[in-house]
Amino acid sequence: MFSFILFYTLMWLIIAGFEKKALFFGVIAIIFTLLVHRLLNLYLPSINLLAIAKFFFYFLGQSFLSGLDVARRVLSPKLLVDPGFVIYKLNTNKQVVKFLLSMVINLAPGTLFVEIGEDTILIHTLDKNSYDEEKLKYMESLIDKIFT
């Protein structure tokens, strides 16, 4: 329980700062959060910090490249898009990985997750012909390594 108190306190201080008002409401928020945590029997997953760093830099690079690709398509005299849906088959059973991967798909330029199934994600893409399943598999494996 001490690790949760420390975690929530650090998160509050990072977000709200060290002002007296923030500390007062922080104590209330942390107590409420701990009660909800206890009632719902939540746990804090162990996280691999090196995997987070690797994922962050990979995602940053891919987002930049995807942004350039989308800009090229939109600014081209010919509309270089063929929108459509693709189905990605998940390799993990971890709910947190499925959720984070779907959020990352939303952040990537030109893609939007539509639905998460039991073992699939339905994705809308700006150009279904340029969909790269291998990059998505690699991204999923990076996210999976974060949560040990």
Side-chain angles (χ1 to χ4, degrees):
M1 186 59 106
F2 178 74
S3 61
F4 289 113
I5 294 170
L6 182 63
F7 174 75
Y8 292 135
T9 303
L10 288 174
M11 293 307 297
W12 182 267
L13 291 174
I14 289 169
I15 293 169
F18 292 88
E19 294 181 22
K20 287 182 183 180
K21 291 178 187 177
L23 292 175
F24 173 74
F25 288 110
V27 169
I28 294 170
I30 290 168
I31 290 171
F32 178 74
T33 303
L34 289 170
L35 288 172
V36 169
H37 169 85
R38 182 58 111 187
L39 289 172
L40 297 178
N41 197 22
L42 299 175
Y43 69 95
L44 188 63
S46 58
I47 295 175
N48 181 339
L49 295 178
L50 185 60
I52 289 175
K54 189 174 181 179
F55 166 75
F56 175 76
F57 288 111
Y58 178 78
F59 176 71
L60 196 63
Q62 289 301 311
S63 291
F64 180 75
L65 294 174
S66 296
L68 289 177
D69 181 58
V70 169
R72 178 185 62 84
R73 291 172 188 279
V74 170
L75 296 174
S76 173
K78 297 178 183 176
L79 197 54
L80 302 173
V81 295
D82 184 16
F85 294 95
V86 293
I87 296 174
Y88 174 70
K89 174 98 169 84
L90 291 161
N91 297 311
T92 185
N93 291 326
K94 298 177 187 173
Q95 292 296 326
V96 67
V97 174
K98 292 177 186 180
F99 176 75
L100 190 54
L101 181 63
S102 64
M103 294 299 107
V104 166
I105 289 169
N106 280 347
L107 291 174
T111 59
L112 180 69
F113 102 91
V114 177
E115 181 179 56
I116 301 175
E118 187 65 31
D119 61 348
T120 59
I121 297 180
L122 180 62
I123 303 168
H124 183 272
T125 181
L126 193 60
D127 185 7
K128 62 184 178 222
N129 298 321
S130 68
Y131 166 71
D132 190 350
E133 187 171 344
E134 292 305 313
K135 284 183 183 178
L136 207 49
K137 280 184 182 182
Y138 183 68
M139 183 98 59
E140 181 184 1
S141 73
L142 288 176
I143 294 170
D144 194 48
K145 290 175 185 171
I146 292 173
F147 303 99
T148 57

PDB file of all heavy atoms in Angstrom, residues 74-112:
ATOM      1  N   VAL A  74      -1.735  14.882 -48.663  1.00  0.00           N
ATOM      2  CA  VAL A  74      -2.736  15.952 -48.654  1.00  0.00           C
ATOM      3  C   VAL A  74      -2.330  17.103 -49.573  1.00  0.00           C
ATOM      4  O   VAL A  74      -3.177  17.703 -50.245  1.00  0.00           O
ATOM      5  CB  VAL A  74      -2.953  16.457 -47.204  1.00  0.00           C
ATOM      6  CG1 VAL A  74      -3.796  17.707 -47.174  1.00  0.00           C
ATOM      7  CG2 VAL A  74      -3.592  15.370 -46.366  1.00  0.00           C
ATOM      8  N   LEU A  75      -1.045  17.404 -49.643  1.00  0.00           N
ATOM      9  CA  LEU A  75      -0.579  18.527 -50.444  1.00  0.00           C
ATOM     10  C   LEU A  75      -0.339  18.166 -51.906  1.00  0.00           C
ATOM     11  O   LEU A  75      -0.110  19.051 -52.722  1.00  0.00           O
ATOM     12  CB  LEU A  75       0.707  19.106 -49.838  1.00  0.00           C
ATOM     13  CG  LEU A  75       0.540  19.708 -48.443  1.00  0.00           C
ATOM     14  CD1 LEU A  75       1.888  20.109 -47.884  1.00  0.00           C
ATOM     15  CD2 LEU A  75      -0.423  20.878 -48.469  1.00  0.00           C
ATOM     16  N   SER A  76      -0.414  16.908 -52.241  1.00  0.00           N
ATOM     17  CA  SER A  76      -0.201  16.464 -53.611  1.00  0.00           C
ATOM     18  C   SER A  76      -1.360  16.926 -54.496  1.00  0.00           C
ATOM     19  O   SER A  76      -2.513  16.938 -54.073  1.00  0.00           O
ATOM     20  CB  SER A  76      -0.109  14.940 -53.650  1.00  0.00           C
ATOM     21  OG  SER A  76      -0.072  14.480 -54.983  1.00  0.00           O
ATOM     22  N   PRO A  77      -1.064  17.331 -55.764  1.00  0.00           N
ATOM     23  CA  PRO A  77      -2.148  17.717 -56.677  1.00  0.00           C
ATOM     24  C   PRO A  77      -3.145  16.574 -56.906  1.00  0.00           C
ATOM     25  O   PRO A  77      -4.336  16.802 -57.030  1.00  0.00           O
ATOM     26  CB  PRO A  77      -1.424  18.054 -57.977  1.00  0.00           C
ATOM     27  CG  PRO A  77      -0.004  18.279 -57.599  1.00  0.00           C
ATOM     28  CD  PRO A  77       0.245  17.507 -56.348  1.00  0.00           C
ATOM     29  N   LYS A  78      -2.637  15.346 -56.947  1.00  0.00           N
ATOM     30  CA  LYS A  78      -3.512  14.186 -57.030  1.00  0.00           C
ATOM     31  C   LYS A  78      -3.769  13.725 -55.597  1.00  0.00           C
ATOM     32  O   LYS A  78      -2.850  13.662 -54.793  1.00  0.00           O
ATOM     33  CB  LYS A  78      -2.842  13.049 -57.804  1.00  0.00           C
ATOM     34  CG  LYS A  78      -2.551  13.381 -59.239  1.00  0.00           C
ATOM     35  CD  LYS A  78      -1.854  12.225 -59.896  1.00  0.00           C
ATOM     36  CE  LYS A  78      -1.488  12.573 -61.325  1.00  0.00           C
ATOM     37  NZ  LYS A  78      -0.719  11.514 -61.965  1.00  0.00           N
ATOM     38  N   LEU A  79      -4.976  13.420 -55.302  1.00  0.00           N
ATOM     39  CA  LEU A  79      -5.307  12.968 -53.957  1.00  0.00           C
ATOM     40  C   LEU A  79      -4.837  11.524 -53.805  1.00  0.00           C
ATOM     41  O   LEU A  79      -5.442  10.600 -54.336  1.00  0.00           O
ATOM     42  CB  LEU A  79      -6.811  13.089 -53.711  1.00  0.00           C
ATOM     43  CG  LEU A  79      -7.257  13.036 -52.269  1.00  0.00           C
ATOM     44  CD1 LEU A  79      -6.527  14.081 -51.423  1.00  0.00           C
ATOM     45  CD2 LEU A  79      -8.748  13.269 -52.168  1.00  0.00           C
ATOM     46  N   LEU A  80      -3.735  11.338 -53.082  1.00  0.00           N
ATOM     47  CA  LEU A  80      -3.103  10.030 -52.953  1.00  0.00           C
ATOM     48  C   LEU A  80      -3.640   9.261 -51.745  1.00  0.00           C
ATOM     49  O   LEU A  80      -2.880   8.802 -50.901  1.00  0.00           O
ATOM     50  CB  LEU A  80      -1.586  10.200 -52.819  1.00  0.00           C
ATOM     51  CG  LEU A  80      -0.891  10.930 -53.958  1.00  0.00           C
ATOM     52  CD1 LEU A  80       0.564  11.172 -53.636  1.00  0.00           C
ATOM     53  CD2 LEU A  80      -1.033  10.121 -55.246  1.00  0.00           C
ATOM     54  N   VAL A  81      -4.938   9.135 -51.668  1.00  0.00           N
ATOM     55  CA  VAL A  81      -5.534   8.404 -50.554  1.00  0.00           C
ATOM     56  C   VAL A  81      -6.480   7.336 -51.082  1.00  0.00           C
ATOM     57  O   VAL A  81      -7.070   7.480 -52.140  1.00  0.00           O
ATOM     58  CB  VAL A  81      -6.289   9.343 -49.579  1.00  0.00           C
ATOM     59  CG1 VAL A  81      -5.342  10.300 -48.913  1.00  0.00           C
ATOM     60  CG2 VAL A  81      -7.405  10.074 -50.265  1.00  0.00           C
ATOM     61  N   ASP A  82      -6.571   6.282 -50.332  1.00  0.00           N
ATOM     62  CA  ASP A  82      -7.518   5.206 -50.599  1.00  0.00           C
ATOM     63  C   ASP A  82      -8.006   4.731 -49.234  1.00  0.00           C
ATOM     64  O   ASP A  82      -7.576   3.694 -48.739  1.00  0.00           O
ATOM     65  CB  ASP A  82      -6.853   4.075 -51.372  1.00  0.00           C
ATOM     66  CG  ASP A  82      -7.837   2.983 -51.762  1.00  0.00           C
ATOM     67  OD1 ASP A  82      -9.071   3.226 -51.708  1.00  0.00           O
ATOM     68  OD2 ASP A  82      -7.378   1.871 -52.098  1.00  0.00           O
ATOM     69  N   PRO A  83      -8.885   5.533 -48.590  1.00  0.00           N
ATOM     70  CA  PRO A  83      -9.283   5.213 -47.224  1.00  0.00           C
ATOM     71  C   PRO A  83     -10.027   3.891 -47.152  1.00  0.00           C
ATOM     72  O   PRO A  83     -10.676   3.469 -48.100  1.00  0.00           O
ATOM     73  CB  PRO A  83     -10.181   6.377 -46.825  1.00  0.00           C
ATOM     74  CG  PRO A  83     -10.618   7.007 -48.091  1.00  0.00           C
ATOM     75  CD  PRO A  83      -9.582   6.700 -49.120  1.00  0.00           C
ATOM     76  N   GLY A  84      -9.880   3.271 -45.995  1.00  0.00           N
ATOM     77  CA  GLY A  84     -10.572   2.011 -45.798  1.00  0.00           C
ATOM     78  C   GLY A  84     -10.275   1.433 -44.435  1.00  0.00           C
ATOM     79  O   GLY A  84      -9.575   2.042 -43.620  1.00  0.00           O
ATOM     80  N   PHE A  85     -10.803   0.262 -44.206  1.00  0.00           N
ATOM     81  CA  PHE A  85     -10.648  -0.413 -42.929  1.00  0.00           C
ATOM     82  C   PHE A  85      -9.726  -1.612 -43.086  1.00  0.00           C
ATOM     83  O   PHE A  85      -9.763  -2.295 -44.103  1.00  0.00           O
ATOM     84  CB  PHE A  85     -12.003  -0.891 -42.403  1.00  0.00           C
ATOM     85  CG  PHE A  85     -12.923   0.237 -42.063  1.00  0.00           C
ATOM     86  CD1 PHE A  85     -13.856   0.699 -42.986  1.00  0.00           C
ATOM     87  CD2 PHE A  85     -12.862   0.853 -40.824  1.00  0.00           C
ATOM     88  CE1 PHE A  85     -14.712   1.737 -42.681  1.00  0.00           C
ATOM     89  CE2 PHE A  85     -13.705   1.894 -40.498  1.00  0.00           C
ATOM     90  CZ  PHE A  85     -14.638   2.339 -41.433  1.00  0.00           C
ATOM     91  N   VAL A  86      -8.921  -1.843 -42.059  1.00  0.00           N
ATOM     92  CA  VAL A  86      -8.086  -3.041 -41.993  1.00  0.00           C
ATOM     93  C   VAL A  86      -8.290  -3.666 -40.618  1.00  0.00           C
ATOM     94  O   VAL A  86      -8.629  -2.979 -39.657  1.00  0.00           O
ATOM     95  CB  VAL A  86      -6.589  -2.730 -42.235  1.00  0.00           C
ATOM     96  CG1 VAL A  86      -6.350  -2.267 -43.652  1.00  0.00           C
ATOM     97  CG2 VAL A  86      -6.075  -1.714 -41.244  1.00  0.00           C
ATOM     98  N   ILE A  87      -8.092  -4.952 -40.545  1.00  0.00           N
ATOM     99  CA  ILE A  87      -8.218  -5.669 -39.279  1.00  0.00           C
ATOM    100  C   ILE A  87      -6.832  -6.139 -38.869  1.00  0.00           C
ATOM    101  O   ILE A  87      -6.139  -6.817 -39.641  1.00  0.00           O
ATOM    102  CB  ILE A  87      -9.172  -6.868 -39.401  1.00  0.00           C
ATOM    103  CG1 ILE A  87     -10.583  -6.372 -39.727  1.00  0.00           C
ATOM    104  CG2 ILE A  87      -9.174  -7.689 -38.117  1.00  0.00           C
ATOM    105  CD1 ILE A  87     -11.577  -7.471 -40.001  1.00  0.00           C
ATOM    106  N   TYR A  88      -6.437  -5.747 -37.662  1.00  0.00           N
ATOM    107  CA  TYR A  88      -5.146  -6.171 -37.122  1.00  0.00           C
ATOM    108  C   TYR A  88      -5.372  -7.275 -36.100  1.00  0.00           C
ATOM    109  O   TYR A  88      -6.148  -7.122 -35.179  1.00  0.00           O
ATOM    110  CB  TYR A  88      -4.419  -4.986 -36.478  1.00  0.00           C
ATOM    111  CG  TYR A  88      -3.154  -5.402 -35.782  1.00  0.00           C
ATOM    112  CD1 TYR A  88      -2.045  -5.819 -36.508  1.00  0.00           C
ATOM    113  CD2 TYR A  88      -3.071  -5.402 -34.403  1.00  0.00           C
ATOM    114  CE1 TYR A  88      -0.895  -6.219 -35.877  1.00  0.00           C
ATOM    115  CE2 TYR A  88      -1.919  -5.802 -33.754  1.00  0.00           C
ATOM    116  CZ  TYR A  88      -0.837  -6.215 -34.498  1.00  0.00           C
ATOM    117  OH  TYR A  88       0.312  -6.616 -33.872  1.00  0.00           O
ATOM    118  N   LYS A  89      -4.693  -8.399 -36.279  1.00  0.00           N
ATOM    119  CA  LYS A  89      -4.787  -9.538 -35.351  1.00  0.00           C
ATOM    120  C   LYS A  89      -3.797  -9.329 -34.225  1.00  0.00           C
ATOM    121  O   LYS A  89      -2.602  -9.233 -34.439  1.00  0.00           O
ATOM    122  CB  LYS A  89      -4.474 -10.834 -36.108  1.00  0.00           C
ATOM    123  CG  LYS A  89      -4.406 -12.064 -35.250  1.00  0.00           C
ATOM    124  CD  LYS A  89      -5.708 -12.815 -35.297  1.00  0.00           C
ATOM    125  CE  LYS A  89      -5.590 -14.179 -34.673  1.00  0.00           C
ATOM    126  NZ  LYS A  89      -5.729 -14.227 -33.248  1.00  0.00           N
ATOM    127  N   LEU A  90      -4.330  -9.229 -33.000  1.00  0.00           N
ATOM    128  CA  LEU A  90      -3.498  -9.012 -31.817  1.00  0.00           C
ATOM    129  C   LEU A  90      -2.728 -10.265 -31.440  1.00  0.00           C
ATOM    130  O   LEU A  90      -3.217 -11.382 -31.623  1.00  0.00           O
ATOM    131  CB  LEU A  90      -4.371  -8.585 -30.637  1.00  0.00           C
ATOM    132  CG  LEU A  90      -4.990  -7.198 -30.744  1.00  0.00           C
ATOM    133  CD1 LEU A  90      -6.165  -7.054 -29.804  1.00  0.00           C
ATOM    134  CD2 LEU A  90      -3.939  -6.134 -30.461  1.00  0.00           C
ATOM    135  N   ASN A  91      -1.536 -10.071 -30.879  1.00  0.00           N
ATOM    136  CA  ASN A  91      -0.718 -11.180 -30.420  1.00  0.00           C
ATOM    137  C   ASN A  91      -0.697 -11.281 -28.899  1.00  0.00           C
ATOM    138  O   ASN A  91      -0.022 -12.142 -28.356  1.00  0.00           O
ATOM    139  CB  ASN A  91       0.718 -11.021 -30.930  1.00  0.00           C
ATOM    140  CG  ASN A  91       0.771 -11.056 -32.434  1.00  0.00           C
ATOM    141  OD1 ASN A  91       0.211 -11.946 -33.046  1.00  0.00           O
ATOM    142  ND2 ASN A  91       1.422 -10.081 -33.031  1.00  0.00           N
ATOM    143  N   THR A  92      -1.382 -10.377 -28.213  1.00  0.00           N
ATOM    144  CA  THR A  92      -1.359 -10.338 -26.761  1.00  0.00           C
ATOM    145  C   THR A  92      -2.745 -10.556 -26.176  1.00  0.00           C
ATOM    146  O   THR A  92      -3.739 -10.338 -26.857  1.00  0.00           O
ATOM    147  CB  THR A  92      -0.803  -8.982 -26.263  1.00  0.00           C
ATOM    148  OG1 THR A  92      -0.676  -9.028 -24.842  1.00  0.00           O
ATOM    149  CG2 THR A  92      -1.717  -7.836 -26.636  1.00  0.00           C
ATOM    150  N   ASN A  93      -2.765 -10.973 -24.927  1.00  0.00           N
ATOM    151  CA  ASN A  93      -4.026 -11.101 -24.198  1.00  0.00           C
ATOM    152  C   ASN A  93      -4.144 -10.043 -23.113  1.00  0.00           C
ATOM    153  O   ASN A  93      -5.166  -9.976 -22.433  1.00  0.00           O
ATOM    154  CB  ASN A  93      -4.136 -12.493 -23.555  1.00  0.00           C
ATOM    155  CG  ASN A  93      -4.314 -13.568 -24.602  1.00  0.00           C
ATOM    156  OD1 ASN A  93      -4.942 -13.340 -25.622  1.00  0.00           O
ATOM    157  ND2 ASN A  93      -3.740 -14.723 -24.351  1.00  0.00           N
ATOM    158  N   LYS A  94      -3.094  -9.240 -22.913  1.00  0.00           N
ATOM    159  CA  LYS A  94      -3.082  -8.221 -21.861  1.00  0.00           C
ATOM    160  C   LYS A  94      -3.988  -7.059 -22.257  1.00  0.00           C
ATOM    161  O   LYS A  94      -3.795  -6.440 -23.306  1.00  0.00           O
ATOM    162  CB  LYS A  94      -1.672  -7.707 -21.620  1.00  0.00           C
ATOM    163  CG  LYS A  94      -0.696  -8.748 -21.134  1.00  0.00           C
ATOM    164  CD  LYS A  94       0.685  -8.137 -20.994  1.00  0.00           C
ATOM    165  CE  LYS A  94       1.733  -9.171 -20.682  1.00  0.00           C
ATOM    166  NZ  LYS A  94       3.084  -8.582 -20.717  1.00  0.00           N
ATOM    167  N   GLN A  95      -4.964  -6.775 -21.409  1.00  0.00           N
ATOM    168  CA  GLN A  95      -5.908  -5.683 -21.701  1.00  0.00           C
ATOM    169  C   GLN A  95      -5.206  -4.336 -21.793  1.00  0.00           C
ATOM    170  O   GLN A  95      -5.534  -3.514 -22.633  1.00  0.00           O
ATOM    171  CB  GLN A  95      -7.005  -5.628 -20.631  1.00  0.00           C
ATOM    172  CG  GLN A  95      -7.942  -6.805 -20.659  1.00  0.00           C
ATOM    173  CD  GLN A  95      -8.734  -6.874 -21.956  1.00  0.00           C
ATOM    174  OE1 GLN A  95      -9.096  -5.874 -22.545  1.00  0.00           O
ATOM    175  NE2 GLN A  95      -8.989  -8.085 -22.415  1.00  0.00           N
ATOM    176  N   VAL A  96      -4.232  -4.103 -20.922  1.00  0.00           N
ATOM    177  CA  VAL A  96      -3.540  -2.825 -20.915  1.00  0.00           C
ATOM    178  C   VAL A  96      -2.771  -2.614 -22.223  1.00  0.00           C
ATOM    179  O   VAL A  96      -2.713  -1.503 -22.745  1.00  0.00           O
ATOM    180  CB  VAL A  96      -2.613  -2.693 -19.677  1.00  0.00           C
ATOM    181  CG1 VAL A  96      -1.461  -3.671 -19.731  1.00  0.00           C
ATOM    182  CG2 VAL A  96      -2.119  -1.278 -19.516  1.00  0.00           C
ATOM    183  N   VAL A  97      -2.231  -3.674 -22.787  1.00  0.00           N
ATOM    184  CA  VAL A  97      -1.508  -3.572 -24.061  1.00  0.00           C
ATOM    185  C   VAL A  97      -2.488  -3.281 -25.192  1.00  0.00           C
ATOM    186  O   VAL A  97      -2.227  -2.433 -26.053  1.00  0.00           O
ATOM    187  CB  VAL A  97      -0.693  -4.852 -24.338  1.00  0.00           C
ATOM    188  CG1 VAL A  97      -0.058  -4.807 -25.716  1.00  0.00           C
ATOM    189  CG2 VAL A  97       0.367  -5.046 -23.264  1.00  0.00           C
ATOM    190  N   LYS A  98      -3.630  -3.964 -25.187  1.00  0.00           N
ATOM    191  CA  LYS A  98      -4.653  -3.715 -26.213  1.00  0.00           C
ATOM    192  C   LYS A  98      -5.109  -2.255 -26.168  1.00  0.00           C
ATOM    193  O   LYS A  98      -5.224  -1.587 -27.198  1.00  0.00           O
ATOM    194  CB  LYS A  98      -5.866  -4.618 -26.002  1.00  0.00           C
ATOM    195  CG  LYS A  98      -5.610  -6.077 -26.242  1.00  0.00           C
ATOM    196  CD  LYS A  98      -6.864  -6.884 -25.922  1.00  0.00           C
ATOM    197  CE  LYS A  98      -6.635  -8.357 -25.997  1.00  0.00           C
ATOM    198  NZ  LYS A  98      -7.857  -9.132 -25.687  1.00  0.00           N
ATOM    199  N   PHE A  99      -5.375  -1.769 -24.968  1.00  0.00           N
ATOM    200  CA  PHE A  99      -5.850  -0.396 -24.809  1.00  0.00           C
ATOM    201  C   PHE A  99      -4.787   0.609 -25.249  1.00  0.00           C
ATOM    202  O   PHE A  99      -5.077   1.524 -26.019  1.00  0.00           O
ATOM    203  CB  PHE A  99      -6.240  -0.147 -23.347  1.00  0.00           C
ATOM    204  CG  PHE A  99      -6.638   1.268 -23.080  1.00  0.00           C
ATOM    205  CD1 PHE A  99      -7.865   1.737 -23.494  1.00  0.00           C
ATOM    206  CD2 PHE A  99      -5.775   2.137 -22.430  1.00  0.00           C
ATOM    207  CE1 PHE A  99      -8.248   3.056 -23.268  1.00  0.00           C
ATOM    208  CE2 PHE A  99      -6.137   3.442 -22.200  1.00  0.00           C
ATOM    209  CZ  PHE A  99      -7.363   3.905 -22.615  1.00  0.00           C
ATOM    210  N   LEU A 100      -3.553   0.428 -24.773  1.00  0.00           N
ATOM    211  CA  LEU A 100      -2.492   1.379 -25.124  1.00  0.00           C
ATOM    212  C   LEU A 100      -2.192   1.354 -26.619  1.00  0.00           C
ATOM    213  O   LEU A 100      -2.001   2.408 -27.231  1.00  0.00           O
ATOM    214  CB  LEU A 100      -1.234   1.077 -24.309  1.00  0.00           C
ATOM    215  CG  LEU A 100      -0.120   2.106 -24.376  1.00  0.00           C
ATOM    216  CD1 LEU A 100      -0.614   3.494 -24.015  1.00  0.00           C
ATOM    217  CD2 LEU A 100       1.025   1.714 -23.460  1.00  0.00           C
ATOM    218  N   LEU A 101      -2.193   0.180 -27.212  1.00  0.00           N
ATOM    219  CA  LEU A 101      -1.960   0.087 -28.656  1.00  0.00           C
ATOM    220  C   LEU A 101      -3.054   0.816 -29.428  1.00  0.00           C
ATOM    221  O   LEU A 101      -2.772   1.539 -30.385  1.00  0.00           O
ATOM    222  CB  LEU A 101      -1.875  -1.371 -29.099  1.00  0.00           C
ATOM    223  CG  LEU A 101      -1.613  -1.591 -30.588  1.00  0.00           C
ATOM    224  CD1 LEU A 101      -0.258  -1.027 -30.995  1.00  0.00           C
ATOM    225  CD2 LEU A 101      -1.695  -3.069 -30.932  1.00  0.00           C
ATOM    226  N   SER A 102      -4.297   0.663 -29.010  1.00  0.00           N
ATOM    227  CA  SER A 102      -5.387   1.359 -29.710  1.00  0.00           C
ATOM    228  C   SER A 102      -5.255   2.877 -29.562  1.00  0.00           C
ATOM    229  O   SER A 102      -5.542   3.613 -30.498  1.00  0.00           O
ATOM    230  CB  SER A 102      -6.744   0.877 -29.210  1.00  0.00           C
ATOM    231  OG  SER A 102      -6.923   1.206 -27.852  1.00  0.00           O
ATOM    232  N   MET A 103      -4.791   3.347 -28.406  1.00  0.00           N
ATOM    233  CA  MET A 103      -4.586   4.786 -28.217  1.00  0.00           C
ATOM    234  C   MET A 103      -3.422   5.289 -29.065  1.00  0.00           C
ATOM    235  O   MET A 103      -3.470   6.385 -29.635  1.00  0.00           O
ATOM    236  CB  MET A 103      -4.339   5.121 -26.745  1.00  0.00           C
ATOM    237  CG  MET A 103      -5.526   4.866 -25.840  1.00  0.00           C
ATOM    238  SD  MET A 103      -6.974   5.847 -26.289  1.00  0.00           S
ATOM    239  CE  MET A 103      -8.039   4.611 -26.997  1.00  0.00           C
ATOM    240  N   VAL A 104      -2.375   4.478 -29.184  1.00  0.00           N
ATOM    241  CA  VAL A 104      -1.228   4.844 -30.013  1.00  0.00           C
ATOM    242  C   VAL A 104      -1.642   4.904 -31.479  1.00  0.00           C
ATOM    243  O   VAL A 104      -1.199   5.789 -32.225  1.00  0.00           O
ATOM    244  CB  VAL A 104      -0.072   3.839 -29.792  1.00  0.00           C
ATOM    245  CG1 VAL A 104       0.992   3.962 -30.861  1.00  0.00           C
ATOM    246  CG2 VAL A 104       0.525   4.039 -28.411  1.00  0.00           C
ATOM    247  N   ILE A 105      -2.493   3.991 -31.898  1.00  0.00           N
ATOM    248  CA  ILE A 105      -2.993   4.008 -33.281  1.00  0.00           C
ATOM    249  C   ILE A 105      -3.722   5.323 -33.541  1.00  0.00           C
ATOM    250  O   ILE A 105      -3.578   5.927 -34.603  1.00  0.00           O
ATOM    251  CB  ILE A 105      -3.906   2.791 -33.546  1.00  0.00           C
ATOM    252  CG1 ILE A 105      -3.069   1.512 -33.600  1.00  0.00           C
ATOM    253  CG2 ILE A 105      -4.704   2.968 -34.837  1.00  0.00           C
ATOM    254  CD1 ILE A 105      -3.883   0.237 -33.593  1.00  0.00           C
ATOM    255  N   ASN A 106      -4.482   5.798 -32.570  1.00  0.00           N
ATOM    256  CA  ASN A 106      -5.188   7.077 -32.725  1.00  0.00           C
ATOM    257  C   ASN A 106      -4.227   8.245 -32.836  1.00  0.00           C
ATOM    258  O   ASN A 106      -4.531   9.236 -33.506  1.00  0.00           O
ATOM    259  CB  ASN A 106      -6.129   7.333 -31.546  1.00  0.00           C
ATOM    260  CG  ASN A 106      -7.424   6.589 -31.682  1.00  0.00           C
ATOM    261  OD1 ASN A 106      -7.746   6.068 -32.741  1.00  0.00           O
ATOM    262  ND2 ASN A 106      -8.167   6.530 -30.606  1.00  0.00           N
ATOM    263  N   LEU A 107      -3.079   8.161 -32.181  1.00  0.00           N
ATOM    264  CA  LEU A 107      -2.118   9.256 -32.218  1.00  0.00           C
ATOM    265  C   LEU A 107      -1.311   9.286 -33.507  1.00  0.00           C
ATOM    266  O   LEU A 107      -0.773  10.324 -33.867  1.00  0.00           O
ATOM    267  CB  LEU A 107      -1.157   9.145 -31.022  1.00  0.00           C
ATOM    268  CG  LEU A 107      -1.771   9.407 -29.656  1.00  0.00           C
ATOM    269  CD1 LEU A 107      -0.750   9.114 -28.563  1.00  0.00           C
ATOM    270  CD2 LEU A 107      -2.278  10.830 -29.543  1.00  0.00           C
ATOM    271  N   ALA A 108      -1.218   8.163 -34.171  1.00  0.00           N
ATOM    272  CA  ALA A 108      -0.452   8.109 -35.417  1.00  0.00           C
ATOM    273  C   ALA A 108      -1.226   8.803 -36.536  1.00  0.00           C
ATOM    274  O   ALA A 108      -2.412   8.538 -36.729  1.00  0.00           O
ATOM    275  CB  ALA A 108      -0.164   6.656 -35.785  1.00  0.00           C
ATOM    276  N   PRO A 109      -0.562   9.694 -37.264  1.00  0.00           N
ATOM    277  CA  PRO A 109      -1.250  10.389 -38.362  1.00  0.00           C
ATOM    278  C   PRO A 109      -1.785   9.418 -39.420  1.00  0.00           C
ATOM    279  O   PRO A 109      -1.106   8.486 -39.817  1.00  0.00           O
ATOM    280  CB  PRO A 109      -0.151  11.273 -38.962  1.00  0.00           C
ATOM    281  CG  PRO A 109       0.841  11.440 -37.860  1.00  0.00           C
ATOM    282  CD  PRO A 109       0.802  10.157 -37.080  1.00  0.00           C
ATOM    283  N   GLY A 110      -3.015   9.636 -39.823  1.00  0.00           N
ATOM    284  CA  GLY A 110      -3.609   8.842 -40.895  1.00  0.00           C
ATOM    285  C   GLY A 110      -4.300   7.572 -40.445  1.00  0.00           C
ATOM    286  O   GLY A 110      -4.787   6.823 -41.279  1.00  0.00           O
ATOM    287  N   THR A 111      -4.331   7.300 -39.140  1.00  0.00           N
ATOM    288  CA  THR A 111      -4.990   6.091 -38.655  1.00  0.00           C
ATOM    289  C   THR A 111      -5.912   6.418 -37.484  1.00  0.00           C
ATOM    290  O   THR A 111      -5.715   7.398 -36.773  1.00  0.00           O
ATOM    291  CB  THR A 111      -3.976   5.028 -38.189  1.00  0.00           C
ATOM    292  OG1 THR A 111      -3.166   5.575 -37.145  1.00  0.00           O
ATOM    293  CG2 THR A 111      -3.102   4.555 -39.321  1.00  0.00           C
ATOM    294  N   LEU A 112      -6.900   5.555 -37.312  1.00  0.00           N
ATOM    295  CA  LEU A 112      -7.851   5.718 -36.220  1.00  0.00           C
ATOM    296  C   LEU A 112      -8.404   4.339 -35.878  1.00  0.00           C
ATOM    297  O   LEU A 112      -8.889   3.635 -36.763  1.00  0.00           O
ATOM    298  CB  LEU A 112      -8.990   6.641 -36.653  1.00  0.00           C
ATOM    299  CG  LEU A 112     -10.080   6.928 -35.651  1.00  0.00           C
ATOM    300  CD1 LEU A 112      -9.539   7.785 -34.513  1.00  0.00           C
ATOM    301  CD2 LEU A 112     -11.238   7.638 -36.322  1.00  0.00           C
TER     302      LEU A 112
END
